[in-house]
Amino acid sequence: MKWLVLVAAIVFNSTANILIKTAVANTKAENIVALIKDRSFSVPTLAGISCFVLALAAFSYVLCKTNLSVAYPILVSGCFLTIGLVSWLFFKESITLVQILGFLLIIVGIW
């Protein structure tokens, strides 16, 4: 059960980051204050915050059941890989050979 909840934490955290990126993607804000004023109550921002809260709840549960030294690297690497793939597919961000090698090293190192 804890591993399923950890996967949920990865999905919620990755989704939150993607939603926040969507919320700020086309902003013309000149500074952080303007960005906050402009995007704080947008649907993607609020949905992203909600996903962060769900990720925190799920990860907190996982930490009750397993070691931080095990759970955190899996969470971070899962999010890193998921966000990298989604950024490439949906945001058309480039992925370099160095990043691909980094992804492979993370997979080998964690698993």
Side-chain angles (χ1 to χ4, degrees), residues 3-73:
W3 302 115
L4 183 61
V5 176
L6 182 56
V7 169
I10 292 168
V11 170
F12 285 132
N13 189 296
S14 299
T15 301
N17 281 286
I18 293 160
L19 287 166
I20 298 298
K21 170 66 175 180
T22 301
V24 300
N26 296 318
T27 187
K28 303 284 192 244
E30 296 291 324
N31 56 55
I32 193 165
V33 174
L35 177 67
I36 291 169
K37 285 181 181 178
D38 187 42
R39 300 298 171 152
S40 289
F41 296 104
S42 71
V43 172
T45 299
L46 295 174
I49 292 168
S50 298
C51 284
F52 275 131
V53 169
L54 292 170
L56 176 62
F59 193 62
S60 296
Y61 172 81
V62 170
L63 291 179
C64 292
K65 305 295 182 186
T66 194
N67 293 337
L68 176 62
S69 61
V70 173
Y72 188 70

